[in-house]
Amino acid sequence: QVQLVESGGGLVQAGGSLRLSCAASGRAFSNYVMGWFRQAPGKEREFVAAIIWSGRTTNYADSVKGRFTISRDNGKNTVYLQMNSLKPEDTAVYYCAASAYLSIGFSPSRYNDWGQGTQVTVSS
């Protein structure tokens, strides 16, 4: 089990940027695949990005590819989501999640530990 705490959300105008951080507890942080998901009101939770333990392999949803960048610092037990060129449709609660699987998964069911979420609101 790993405990996750997101931060960095807020209100930003369209075209702006935010960087989300996810601080994780536990000495085994580097053994987890880490992912970011988001959920807008009335919609299901959707995959945004994920990164394997080494950081070498990443995956992104088509809707954010080229705009968002996921990274991790295992020494700091932290995963980041740099969000650029934000759009109003990016507005959602963003969740950090950890997976015990060795490969990246795209379904929320693949992730067993979740943060509390951080709100991102993009105004037009």
Side-chain angles (χ1 to χ4, degrees), residues 13-64:
Q13 291 187 329
S17 299
L18 286 173
R19 189 179 78 158
L20 306 184
S21 298
C22 175
S25 65
R27 294 186 295 273
F29 171 76
S30 62
N31 294 331
Y32 289 89
V33 171
M34 301 297 297
W36 286 97
F37 291 78
R38 65 187 183 186
Q39 188 166 24
K43 297 183 179 180
E44 65 182 10
R45 191 166 298 185
E46 66 173 342
F47 172 81
V48 176
I51 187 168
I52 66 169
W53 66 271
S54 69
R56 182 170 183 176
T57 300
T58 58
N59 277 276
Y60 299 92
D62 289 341
S63 59
V64 306

